[in-house]
Amino acid sequence: MNQHITIGELSKLMNVSVHQIRYFEEKEILFPAYTDSNQYRMYGINEIYQLAQILLLRKLDIPVSTINKSMNNFSTTDYHQLLKQSQSKINSEINQLMLLQQFLQKILNEYEQSDILEDKYSIKQLDTRHLKKWIELDQDKSLTARSLYEKKPYLSHLFETDLHYLYENEQVTLCYESNQSPDIILEKGSYLYKAFFVTDDQDIEREIAQLEHYLTQHHYTIQGQLIILEKSYLSMFNNDKLHFEIQIKIKYDSDGVA
């Protein structure tokens, strides 16, 4: 009885396609033990273990070119270093996935807790925020793609964070959150706020006018500048609208006294 198996049988045994086995042969990292008279590739126990090692290294995302080199030249120390490098890469990928998981949870939580459809003012307690200036422009000027590009900050995933537009003395300062040498610190405290949708700049102007009227009506004592908060990552739930909040710090105690 022949103690060797065909490429099809090897494929089934190792749960890998025949095409993959032939690819490994093309890359000169796996060869049959011999080819029989009918030109069938035949594989023995040594080839099975060799294929198992190749599949393990590929599972660890080791390039085929490195596997070729390792099978011909690597020492025990070289293999140890190779696996340590793979471990470091996998740990980095796990950290990235954890950050992605946290970001997705943030989006879902904010969407599920959003009161944007209620169209009313509320008061909430906000922690201290550390902001980095990005762009300064006159209040009657619109933000453009060119200005965003030319003054792009060195920050990855910029639109996955809350962008703050600070209104003061006819000027608007666009900021993003950063704990590294912040330019502006927004103090923790009670903030009057309302979530709203934006399709053009007039929507923002209208919300500012409505807030000013509301503050006058309710005699709130203002303790900070006007803030427009852009949550662009929530805008995916409304393809034709951007998700914003209008905020302003007020004097307010736990008994609801302004």
Side-chain angles (χ1 to χ4, degrees), residues 119 121 194-198 202-212 228 246:
D119 192 31
Y121 293 100
K194 188 179 80 168
F196 63 99
F197 289 122
V198 168
Q202 291 182 348
D203 292 331
I204 295 177
E205 294 172 5
R206 187 161 42 249
E207 289 295 336
I208 292 174
Q210 289 177 2
L211 176 65
E212 290 173 347
I228 299 291
I246 190 167

Side-chain angles (χ1 to χ4, degrees), residues 174-209:
L174 173 57
C175 307
Y176 56 90
E177 294 190 66
S178 175
N179 289 320
Q180 298 181 350
S181 304
D183 300 313
I184 299 171
I185 296 177
L186 297 180
E187 296 179 352
K188 68 177 181 180
S190 302
Y191 283 78
L192 181 70
Y193 84 100
K194 188 179 80 168
F196 63 99
F197 289 122
V198 168
T199 55
D200 56 46
D201 290 344
Q202 291 182 348
D203 292 331
I204 295 177
E205 294 172 5
R206 187 161 42 249
E207 289 295 336
I208 292 174

